[in-house]
Amino acid sequence: MNNIGHAPLVQAIGNFPARELIKQWLKAGYVEAEMWHPTDTGVPQGGGISPLLLNVALHGMEQALGISHTPKGVLRGTYAVVRYADDCAVFCPTQERRSKLNTSSPHGLGHVDCDCQTTKPTFVTCKMA
């Protein structure tokens, strides 16, 4: 993810006791080439809080994509999502469905208010034998 909107993220946190600390962390900015840069969007990359904040932001994505699991853990739905650290992978059943999945779609990641990286995603087509 390139940028995650701060307002939806803070709203998702709710009344968490450290909410104000997290808001400060989001606005802390970063230093590059001895220059301070403010941050209005996104989360601190490489920090210990980054995976946690991404998972808070992505909470509800499975429901938005129609994904559920049986009590035994069997996947129900046409998509699958794997989250790891501060990244995630979305598995789509067809290339056509993948092309319809974007950040502005209510069945995609639109509820997160984020921009997916356009240079990083790798799309692989797998077919069952």
Side-chain angles (χ1 to χ4, degrees):
M1 304 282 176
N2 280 346
N3 293 300
I4 295 177
H6 290 179
L9 185 57
V10 170
Q11 183 179 4
I13 292 169
N15 291 327
F16 182 69
R19 176 186 175 128
E20 292 304 313
L21 180 62
I22 292 171
K23 285 168 63 174
Q24 290 173 12
W25 202 325
L26 290 171
K27 298 287 185 190
Y30 64 97
V31 176
E32 182 178 16
E34 298 183 20
M35 290 283 298
W36 180 80
H37 302 274
T39 51
D40 296 321
T41 60
V43 299
Q45 294 298 302
I49 196 80
S50 182
L52 173 66
L53 294 178
L54 179 71
N55 277 287
V56 168
L58 293 181
H59 183 73
M61 181 173 64
E62 288 88 350
Q63 183 178 5
L65 292 172
I67 298 170
S68 65
H69 295 84
T70 68
K72 292 188 176 190
V74 177
L75 177 68
R76 291 183 184 159
T78 55
Y79 296 96
V81 175
V82 176
R83 300 183 199 187
Y84 47 95
D86 58 355
D87 215 340
C88 73
V90 179
F91 297 86
C92 306
T94 65
Q95 185 71 18
E96 179 184 0
R97 291 251 180 113
R98 201 250 1 122
S99 65
K100 290 181 182 179
L101 183 67
N102 62 53
T103 59
S104 63
S105 168
H107 298 291
L109 303 174
H111 72 287
V112 177
D113 184 23
C114 69
D115 296 326
C116 293
Q117 293 182 6
T118 56
T119 57
K120 186 177 177 184
T122 301
F123 301 104
V124 178
T125 303
C126 298
K127 295 184 180 183
M128 298 294 287

